[in-house]
Amino acid sequence: MQRVLSFQMARGLSESSEFVTKRICFSLIFSVGFLSLLCGFLLGRFATQRAIEFRAEKKRLELAGNGLENTEYLQRLVLEQLERTPLDADSERKCESFNLKEDDISQVNDILSNLSLIEKVVKHQSYIMATIRGSRESDRYIILSVSCEGVGVALELAKIFNQIQKEYKWKPRRSLIFCLFSGSSNSCTEVLSNFMPHKIMAYIVVHHQALQGKGHFIVSGSDIVQSMVLESANIVKKWFSYNNQLLSLNNIPYNITTSRLALDIPHAVLSFMNNNITYNENHHEREIRKIIIAQILAQTIWRFSECLIIKWNPNYFNETAFKALESINRIELLEHKEKIQQTLDKLLINIKTLNEKIDRIDNINILDTRILNDLLMDLDRILLCPDKQYQSKTDWIKFFKSNQEPFNIILMHINEIIKCYENAIQLLQDQ
Ligand SMILES: *[C@@H]1O[C@H](CO)[C@@H](O)[C@H](O)[C@H]1NC(C)=O
Ligand SMILES: *[C@@H]1O[C@H](CO)[C@@H](O)[C@H](O)[C@H]1NC(C)=O
Ligand SMILES: *[C@@H]1O[C@H](CO)[C@@H](O)[C@H](O)[C@H]1NC(C)=O
Ligand SMILES: *[C@@H]1O[C@H](CO)[C@@H](O)[C@H](O)[C@H]1NC(C)=O
């Protein structure tokens, strides 16, 4: 009996210990399972959290400084490359011969067609047009139009952009068009009629006389594009520490020979002022001047193509208008001068309000930024205020020159300017 009991006890014991080990085993499995689930869940959350943070950080970097900050090293690289490479040594010779020589045109055509960044090259009788498609806003264009020595500059720029695309996977945000023309009349302006006007953000010209002058760097053109070019010139001057002799930017608007183009599209013409100094410039200085204009061009194109939102600081506009108004001192015009000043002040207040709105906008929202960019381009066109022959009615440079004209002519100009500014105010207030 005792043996039986002890046997049963032993069995019971062993049974229960078996049972216990099973239970422990199961709960162990469950808790391990639960723990790994928990770990997995936490790890997963951590990972997504990191991914979200990473993406947000990337976005933040992309948007910083109006979308220009994270490519600053590339901008500098472009400008440094332009400084290093000789800008087409024989383009000066070509400047004379580029007059529709079939060889030169097909050579340029070959070079451009060879670049992978360029989507298509179209060869016409008197011009070549190369298109680089924008990655984000391909239906907005920045058009560069060059002839003569400008051709060498544009080719070099296209090559450098191509290299940057290869090495850094960069593509312009908006589309770029390089239009190279030969002859004395700018056939690239014909091209513009193929586009809806509001799709062209800026039309930038380096014509055959751009490097003839030895004076100030000057930009004529529509107000907004003009200030963008001047801002770019300031950046170039700062980065490369050019002195005032090489790059002088105190744009005195009095004796400028170039005026606005007969166009109703935002534009700028870049050149050095021909102040008729007859000193013999050496070859080296001339080369540097060419590099400088190439750098300003590159920086302007980059900013127009890459910035998320175009913002206009009207300081230069105000300054020019202010100087022009100062030059009016005939007694019989004072009353009208007052009127123009009041309209100008009102316009500047409206621009300030617009800029405050731009500062508040969330620039992730591409639709909002596009609407504002289009508004600025509209504003630039309205401020150009072309007449039936596309001559701008608001060109202060022309106003300076007309200062000796009879009273009624000047009065007519003043009234036209007031009307144009009132239209601009209307556009801004309709927002
Ligand atoms: C086109 O590119 C190839 C290879 O990149 C090069 O060998 C050739 O010389 C280029 N042609 C022209 C016309 O630049
Ligand atoms: C403009 O040019 C004229 C001569 O063409 C000169 O007499 C005058 O001083 C110049 N004005 C300025 C502001 O440079
Ligand atoms: C430059 O000066 C010369 C005389 O020295 C004169 O004949 C010429 O018309 C001037 N050019 C300009 C653009 O003022
Ligand atoms: C416009 O320029 C004048 C003269 O430089 C200055 O007094 C005025 O404050 C400027 N206005 C604005 C809105 O910047």
Side-chain angles (χ1 to χ4, degrees):
M1 180 72 179
Q2 235 181 357
R3 272 179 66 182
V4 171
L5 258 177
S6 69
F7 174 74
Q8 275 188 339
M9 260 175 74
R11 249 188 82 154
L13 257 175
S14 85
E15 243 179 27
S16 80
S17 79
E18 217 173 81
F19 182 66
V20 164
T21 30
K22 260 188 198 157
R23 225 170 47 191
I24 288 178
C25 187
F26 273 123
S27 59
L28 206 71
I29 287 172
F30 275 127
S31 34
V32 166
F34 176 71
L35 275 177
S36 47
L37 257 174
L38 190 72
C39 272
F41 174 69
L42 286 177
L43 214 75
R45 263 191 63 141
F46 180 66
T48 32
Q49 192 68 29
R50 279 298 298 268
I52 290 170
E53 275 169 18
F54 181 71
R55 243 177 289 150
E57 176 65 11
K58 202 171 150 218
K59 195 93 213 160
R60 195 187 63 74
L61 281 177
E62 258 174 40
L63 299 178
N66 197 6
L68 293 168
E69 215 167 272
N70 75 329
T71 55
E72 199 178 291
Y73 68 107
L74 292 182
Q75 294 167 44
R76 279 178 187 261
L77 195 65
V78 172
L79 303 190
E80 280 160 15
Q81 294 274 5
L82 284 170
E83 198 182 25
R84 271 196 290 272
T85 20
L87 292 171
D88 198 5
D90 62 355
S91 69
E92 267 169 71
R93 173 188 60 78
K94 267 191 200 145
C95 195
E96 274 114 56
S97 67
F98 195 65
N99 214 343
L100 266 187
K101 264 248 184 92
E102 199 48 47
D103 282 359
D104 291 330
I105 293 195
S106 61
Q107 194 193 342
V108 168
N109 190 30
D110 287 350
I111 296 174
L112 289 171
S113 310
N114 218 5
L115 304 177
S116 57
L117 182 62
I118 290 178
E119 189 186 60
K120 69 173 183 204
V121 183
V122 183
K123 197 171 101 177
H124 292 266
Q125 202 183 14
S126 57
Y127 63 89
I128 292 179
M129 205 171 97
T131 308
I132 300 175
R133 202 178 147 78
S135 59
R136 299 281 183 87
E137 295 181 55
S138 56
D139 60 345
R140 290 292 177 274
Y141 295 87
I142 293 96
I143 303 179
L144 170 64
S145 143
V146 295
S147 70
C148 275
E149 286 169 271
V151 172
V153 171
L155 281 181
E156 201 49 53
L157 207 51
K159 283 185 204 160
I160 294 173
F161 280 166
N162 193 60
Q163 191 189 338
I164 295 224
Q165 182 236 352
K166 266 195 198 148
E167 285 173 22
Y168 300 88
K169 305 267 170 277
W170 168 82
K171 273 199 90 177
R173 181 185 180 86
R174 305 190 175 96
S175 296
L176 306 178
I177 292 181
F178 288 74
C179 183
L180 323 177
F181 68 96
S182 71
S184 52
S185 76
N186 187 347
S187 29
C188 291
T189 39
E190 284 169 26
V191 174
L192 299 177
S193 56
N194 300 340
F195 292 90
M196 307 276 282
H198 71 271
K199 293 195 169 179
I200 303 173
M201 302 196 83
Y203 175 69
I204 297 165
V205 182
V206 179
H207 57 71
H208 58 287
Q209 288 161 334
L211 292 158
Q212 302 300 311
K214 298 162 193 144
H216 292 290
F217 172 73
I218 47 171
V219 196
S220 51
S222 59
D223 294 300
I224 296 180
V225 178
Q226 184 189 39
S227 27
M228 195 83 139
V229 176
L230 285 172
E231 275 167 30
S232 304
N234 269 309
I235 292 174
V236 168
K237 184 166 180 171
K238 197 177 80 191
W239 282 357
F240 290 85
S241 319
Y242 290 126
N243 63 27
N244 277 332
Q245 197 188 336
L246 284 170
L247 180 53
S248 168
L249 292 171
N250 342 325
N251 228 333
I252 311 159
Y254 304 106
N255 277 354
I256 290 177
T257 42
T258 53
S259 44
R260 291 174 169 172
L261 300 175
L263 266 186
D264 64 342
I265 284 169
H267 66 269
V269 183
L270 280 59
S271 63
F272 285 105
M273 186 154 135
N274 191 354
N275 51 5
N276 218 359
I277 296 173
T278 45
Y279 81 89
N280 274 334
E281 193 179 42
N282 63 34
H283 181 72
H284 179 64
E285 270 174 40
R286 205 179 150 71
E287 282 307 297
I288 293 181
R289 232 175 258 283
K290 207 194 283 187
I291 289 169
I292 289 175
I293 235 173
Q295 289 175 324
I296 296 173
L297 194 61
Q299 184 65 15
T300 305
I301 291 178
W302 191 286
R303 285 167 73 83
F304 259 117
S305 159
E306 300 305 287
C307 74
L308 297 171
I309 192 154
I310 294 169
K311 200 176 159 189
W312 180 35
N313 175 353
N315 271 356
Y316 181 73
F317 167 74
N318 177 32
E319 212 178 292
T320 314
F322 193 83
K323 276 182 193 149
L325 289 176
E326 253 184 351
S327 74
I328 301 176
N329 39 29
R330 287 197 226 169
I331 307 279
E332 69 269 33
L333 281 173
L334 289 185
E335 189 191 323
H336 304 280
K337 175 175 160 176
E338 188 60 31
K339 178 103 196 286
I340 236 183
Q341 184 65 58
Q342 280 166 2
T343 321
L344 186 68
D345 288 346
K346 201 165 159 203
L347 176 61
L348 287 169
I349 289 172
N350 277 283
I351 293 167
K352 190 161 166 255
T353 313
L354 174 69
N355 280 340
E356 282 162 4
K357 185 174 168 190
I358 289 176
D359 287 339
R360 276 197 311 272
I361 204 164
D362 182 1
N363 55 11
I364 292 181
N365 190 335
I366 189 165
L367 191 64
D368 285 356
T369 56
R370 269 172 73 95
I371 288 171
L372 278 172
N373 285 338
D374 285 351
L375 171 70
L376 271 158
M377 292 298 103
D378 278 345
L379 177 64
D380 210 15
R381 273 202 302 276
I382 286 186
L383 285 174
L384 265 178
C385 208
D387 64 12
K388 287 202 181 69
Q389 277 80 43
Y390 293 108
Q391 298 290 341
S392 170
K393 292 192 236 170
T394 50
D395 196 346
W396 287 113
I397 307 298
K398 264 196 285 183
F399 191 84
F400 278 121
K401 286 178 191 158
S402 71
N403 220 352
Q404 305 308 322
E405 305 241 12
F407 170 74
N408 57 344
I409 302 259
I410 296 189
L411 187 58
M412 194 188 73
H413 282 319
I414 289 182
N415 284 332
E416 273 174 344
I417 291 178
I418 291 177
K419 223 194 264 156
C420 296
Y421 285 179
E422 275 169 355
N423 286 342
I425 293 170
Q426 191 62 46
L427 173 83
L428 292 172
Q429 285 181 344
D430 284 348
Q431 281 314 296

